Amino acid sequence: MKRYRWNLPPVDDAALTSFACSIKASLPLARIFFMRGVKSYEAAEAFFTASLETLPSPSLFASMPTAVGRVQEAIRSGEKIMIYGDYDVDGITGTAMLNLFLRDRDADVSYYINNRFEEGYGLSMEGIRAAAERQVGLIITVDCGISANLAIERAGELGMDVIVCDHHEPEELPDAYAILNPKVPGCSYPFRELCGCGVAFRFIQAIAEELQLSAESWQQYLDLVAIATAADMVVLSEENRTMVREGFRKMQQRPRVGIEAMLSFMKVNPRDLSMTGVTFGIAPRINAAGRMGSARKAVDWLLAESKDEAWVHTGELEELNILRRRTDLEMLKRAEEMVEGHFASYCSSIVLYDESWHLGVVGIVASKMLERYHLPTVILGASKELVKGSVRSVPGLNIYSVLQECSDLLEQFGGHHQAAGVSMRPENLPAFRKRFDEISARVLDMDARQKELTVDTELGLGEITGNFMKALQRFSPYGVGNPEPLFLTEGLQCNGSVRLLKERHVKFMVRDASGKRLDVIAFDRKDIYDALKESSGQSFSMVYSLELHEWNGRVEPQAKVKDLSVESLHRQVL
């Protein structure tokens, strides 16, 4: 039943007590701050209240003045501008955002997004030809371009300038007119973890400030930045946290017509929109366009000006998402069937290939296989004469570095520390699979191959008060770098019956030795139901998160179980 190692990291008790006093908070709340590296009153205040005015100046980007000047020139002269975006949520939102902003400046602007299956990722030669046919003078990339050396060289030969807005790790920099990327050498911008849409957002801010426009002229796009930041799994700290918080506020209070229509399809009231609603609701529907057809459908959805138009595009995305879900379930079933035979030869990674697999869904299947097996995972399908797919990694393994060690076997690769895309010739697949597993075996120790739950703090049921829940809610939005706080409570027993819902979920109530009670739900954990039935009356320990649950007009705290153990608890790593 116990699926994870539980890790309750030690802290300096004296420092923790002093910090708790300085912020007038309980020790459990202070520990949550400590677990996020926040250990001073000033840092805690910034964590909760940092405003848009505290964002670093976009002028700190290398080449920002050059890029702003070039866009101003294009607007003044009526030159044709093409926004060239990636086909995922990050690229789609950034493409729509730049189009909307430049259109409001009366620029002659259009957009282009690759067909995932015909052109693959990044600035393509097909896209450059399309720009030339449209007589474009300036191309602005979003979430791509940093590795498109040949395509940018070709654009220059055809008389087009390229401004790159990207956030991927650079290698040999292209000869672009300007490069906006916080990760390029020599860039003095202090925060490296923006998504591609976030970089484009800072570009818009710089243009607006140069044109002496109102703050609203660029801040109105924070909703798109929030969606992109959540979907792209970048670190949710510092300015990302600030922009996401403000973007959520906009969607909750004044959603644009496309988002309002999508929330209606999702049956979500805008005021109740959460990070879960974006990552598991809005983002998959946007991604479905590029995965199952054309990403243009998602861009047009965001560009919609009327409710009727937005509703039509939202319906199209909904249909594509239903098809996407059906496809990834079929692929996941087949992948799980293949794993047992794969482990006979390779035990430190998962590299699976089926020529029939849909390339638009391999990333989803890779993520689900990673969640289940907690091993570096590559899921591959066929694309013309190549094998292409997606890579996902566990914490502690920089997948980009692993792929660099395999680069002689690959035609192309790119991505982040935890996720990437690859393509290779079919004959190189066996050698790639072997080397990928050898590197994973070398880098990952046994602890890294076992799932771990990092517990923020121990908590007594009596400490879960209204004020505690109110303070806890201020730690959201949650994401990479700011996970939902996890709590550990020992010495619990069931209070009443244990119910199994839909043969998957478990609902019960717990009580502690003092008689304090708490409602509990465990999603997709039938094993917990079986264990509690078998160990009736025995005390147990539980790791869980907390939420407010509304039922019959009452709002009460509810625990969402992550793991449960009827065994005695040992300190540190369990």
Side-chain angles (χ1 to χ4, degrees):
M1 177 188 58
K2 188 168 180 286
R3 292 185 178 178
Y4 303 88
R5 288 184 301 116
W6 298 356
N7 181 22
L8 182 65
V11 299
D12 184 320
D13 290 337
L16 180 67
T17 301
S18 175
F19 174 66
C21 290
S22 74
I23 63 173
K24 296 182 174 59
S26 65
L27 288 176
L29 285 171
R31 260 196 72 109
I32 296 172
F33 273 119
F34 261 41
M35 294 294 289
R36 284 147 184 75
V38 177
K39 300 183 178 182
S40 70
Y41 177 88
E42 293 76 18
E45 185 177 43
F47 187 87
F48 277 158
T49 64
S51 66
L52 295 171
E53 286 70 28
T54 66
L55 298 181
S57 170
S59 65
L60 295 173
F61 275 92
S63 300
M64 184 63 83
T66 302
V68 170
R70 183 65 182 85
V71 170
Q72 285 184 285
E73 176 189 336
I75 294 173
R76 280 195 302 265
S77 65
E79 186 178 16
K80 292 181 184 295
I81 303 172
M82 175 190 280
I83 311 302
Y84 198 118
D86 187 22
Y87 41 64
D88 68 358
V89 176
D90 194 11
I92 287 168
T93 52
T95 297
M97 178 181 65
L98 275 166
N99 266 269
L100 290 166
F101 176 80
L102 292 175
R103 194 167 66 186
D104 285 348
R105 312 280 83 75
D106 294 323
D108 187 347
V109 60
S110 64
Y111 74 86
Y112 187 95
I113 292 184
N114 284 6
N115 181 297
R116 177 194 294 263
F117 312 105
E118 298 297 325
E119 300 170 67
Y121 168 79
L123 200 62
S124 70
M125 290 300 182
E126 292 89 339
I128 297 300
R129 281 195 291 271
E133 289 171 2
R134 296 183 196 179
Q135 298 182 314
V136 167
L138 174 63
I139 298 172
I140 303 174
T141 74
V142 183
D143 193 34
C144 62
I146 197 63
S147 59
N149 300 59
L150 293 178
I152 290 175
E153 180 181 338
R154 180 57 179 158
E157 293 170 353
L158 294 172
M160 293 178 282
D161 292 331
V162 180
I163 296 174
V164 173
C165 292
D166 205 348
H167 70 124
H168 295 96
E169 294 287 348
E171 292 186 354
E172 180 183 352
L173 296 181
D175 187 20
Y177 188 89
I179 297 175
L180 305 178
N181 183 335
K183 295 175 182 174
V184 300
C187 182
S188 58
Y189 195 77
F191 187 65
R192 288 173 47 88
E193 303 305 324
L194 292 171
C195 64
C197 183
V199 174
F201 178 74
R202 306 318 309 280
F203 187 21
I204 283 175
Q205 180 187 352
I207 297 169
E209 290 176 350
E210 182 66 23
L211 296 175
Q212 298 183 329
L213 304 176
S214 68
E216 176 60 19
S217 69
W218 55 275
Q219 292 180 10
Q220 64 178 299
Y221 303 111
L222 280 162
D223 55 342
L224 304 186
V225 180
I227 291 171
T229 301
D232 217 51
M233 302 294 286
V234 291
V235 175
L236 203 59
S237 63
E238 299 183 41
E239 67 184 83
N240 278 345
R241 176 178 169 80
T242 300
M243 293 190 295
V244 168
R245 186 188 65 234
E246 295 302 317
F248 266 78
R249 185 171 297 162
K250 182 183 186 310
M251 287 186 284
Q252 290 162 348
Q253 296 174 357
R254 301 180 309 279
R256 66 182 67 239
V257 291
I259 293 173
E260 185 175 30
M262 185 170 286
L263 293 177
S264 294
F265 268 78
M266 293 165 52
K267 295 180 172 56
V268 172
N269 189 311
R271 64 179 173 81
D272 297 326
L273 180 64
S274 65
M275 182 65 79
T276 299
V278 170
T279 54
F280 294 102
I282 294 176
R285 286 168 168 82
I286 297 174
N287 266 330
R291 293 184 188 281
M292 309 308 295
S294 169
R296 293 184 64 91
K297 291 182 183 295
V299 179
D300 291 342
W301 163 71
L302 285 172
L303 296 180
E305 297 181 337
S306 70
K307 289 187 177 182
D308 288 344
E309 184 185 359
W311 193 260
V312 169
H313 291 309
T314 303
E316 293 172 342
L317 295 181
E318 186 72 16
E319 290 177 4
L320 288 170
N321 193 49
I322 291 170
L323 175 60
R324 187 273 307 168
R325 283 202 301 264
R326 186 184 309 130
T327 304
D328 74 52
L329 282 173
E330 292 171 354
M331 287 174 54
L332 183 62
K333 181 181 178 181
R334 172 62 180 147
E336 289 176 342
E337 291 171 351
M338 296 168 67
V339 161
E340 187 174 347
H342 176 81
F343 282 159
S345 301
Y346 306 99
C347 59
S348 297
S349 65
I350 296 172
V351 181
L352 303 178
Y353 167 71
D354 188 312
E355 64 178 9
S356 69
W357 279 346
H358 196 296
L359 291 178
V361 184
V362 288
I364 298 173
V365 175
S367 295
K368 291 182 177 179
M369 295 292 285
L370 174 70
E371 172 63 25
R372 176 160 184 173
Y373 296 100
H374 200 66
L375 289 172
T377 300
V378 188
I379 302 295
L380 300 159
S383 176
K384 297 180 181 178
E385 297 178 356
L386 295 176
V387 171
K388 291 187 177 182
S390 291
V391 190
R392 298 293 184 267
S393 186
V394 298
L397 183 71
N398 182 332
I399 206 68
Y400 190 82
S401 296
V402 175
L403 295 178
Q404 284 180 314
E405 291 192 50
C406 301
S407 60
D408 59 304
L409 300 172
L410 302 173
E411 294 299 299
Q412 191 176 15
F413 70 94
H416 311 290
H417 295 317
Q418 298 301 116
V422 295
S423 65
M424 68 190 81
R425 296 190 178 280
E427 60 267 26
N428 287 338
L429 177 56
F432 171 79
R433 181 182 278 129
K434 183 174 185 295
R435 190 183 302 175
F436 188 85
D437 195 73
E438 289 172 347
I439 298 169
S440 298
R442 184 184 76 226
V443 176
L444 295 175
D445 58 26
M446 292 308 297
D447 281 348
R449 301 184 199 193
Q450 187 178 12
K451 292 182 183 179
E452 177 183 279
L453 289 179
T454 298
V455 178
D456 287 83
T457 182
E458 293 184 89
L459 193 67
L461 298 189
E463 296 176 284
I464 306 174
T465 63
N467 285 337
F468 180 87
M469 293 300 299
K470 184 177 180 180
L472 185 63
Q473 287 180 300
R474 297 187 66 193
F475 281 89
S476 67
Y478 303 122
V480 177
N482 182 39
E484 190 173 17
L486 294 182
F487 305 100
L488 166 65
T489 304
E490 302 176 61
L492 296 172
Q493 288 190 321
C494 285
N495 188 79
S497 62
V498 181
R499 292 183 292 149
L500 184 63
L501 311 178
K502 298 181 180 180
E503 295 298 317
R504 298 171 57 196
H505 315 308
V506 191
K507 190 81 171 68
F508 57 104
M509 179 180 283
V510 296
R511 70 175 187 275
D512 63 12
S514 72
K516 293 289 184 181
R517 296 178 296 178
L518 179 65
D519 284 323
V520 177
I521 190 162
F523 292 105
D524 289 310
R525 290 298 301 266
K526 184 178 181 295
D527 60 310
I528 287 179
Y529 173 82
D530 296 335
L532 291 178
K533 284 291 189 180
E534 291 174 7
S535 58
S536 177
Q538 191 170 346
S539 64
F540 53 86
S541 302
M542 190 169 74
V543 174
Y544 58 96
S545 60
L546 284 167
E547 65 180 1
L548 289 174
H549 180 64
E550 184 174 353
W551 179 253
N552 287 338
R554 296 185 60 187
V555 179
E556 299 287 348
Q558 176 177 263
K560 294 187 298 182
V561 178
K562 299 296 182 182
D563 209 14
L564 186 147
S565 175
V566 294
E567 302 167 351
S568 60
L569 183 72
H570 304 290
R571 283 288 172 253
Q572 306 307 322
V573 177
L574 300 172

